Amino acid sequence: ELELGVVLEAADAATAIGIARRIADYLRQPVAHLNGQIALTPRIGVATKEDPRDNADTLLLDARASLARGIDLDARPAAPVQ
């Protein structure tokens, strides 16, 4: 199991989720290994600092909770109704 942390200064939730999607898309690309290929299925937890009292520990806890809830990074926002 791989845990990866990415720190984004002054990013809102939408930006953080967009970047998490890009990372997941990159990590899903098959990689040559011995006589075949392997592909990863990344799971990424996203947390944003909304409270000035938040610190690295609380953000990691929030990211782990996000991971446990199973945010669907493949779900794209609905197009605005016109």
Side-chain angles (χ1 to χ4, degrees):
E1 185 170 307
L2 169 72
E3 290 188 8
L4 173 69
V6 177
V7 177
L8 306 170
E9 189 173 353
D12 61 10
T15 300
I17 289 171
I19 291 170
R21 281 187 184 125
R22 289 179 23 212
I23 292 169
D25 289 345
Y26 181 79
L27 291 174
R28 284 189 187 108
Q29 296 176 18
V31 176
H33 178 67
L34 299 175
N35 295 328
Q37 292 186 335
I38 59 171
L40 299 174
T41 304
R43 295 181 335 131
I44 300 174
V46 176
T48 57
K49 183 175 180 174
E50 297 175 3
D51 185 329
R53 297 171 293 179
D54 285 342
N55 59 32
D57 290 333
T58 58
L59 288 173
L60 283 174
L61 289 172
D62 289 349
R64 286 191 175 143
S66 166
L67 185 61
R69 284 192 303 272
I71 289 178
D72 184 3
L73 294 175
D74 292 326
R76 304 294 178 185
V81 177
Q82 303 208 8

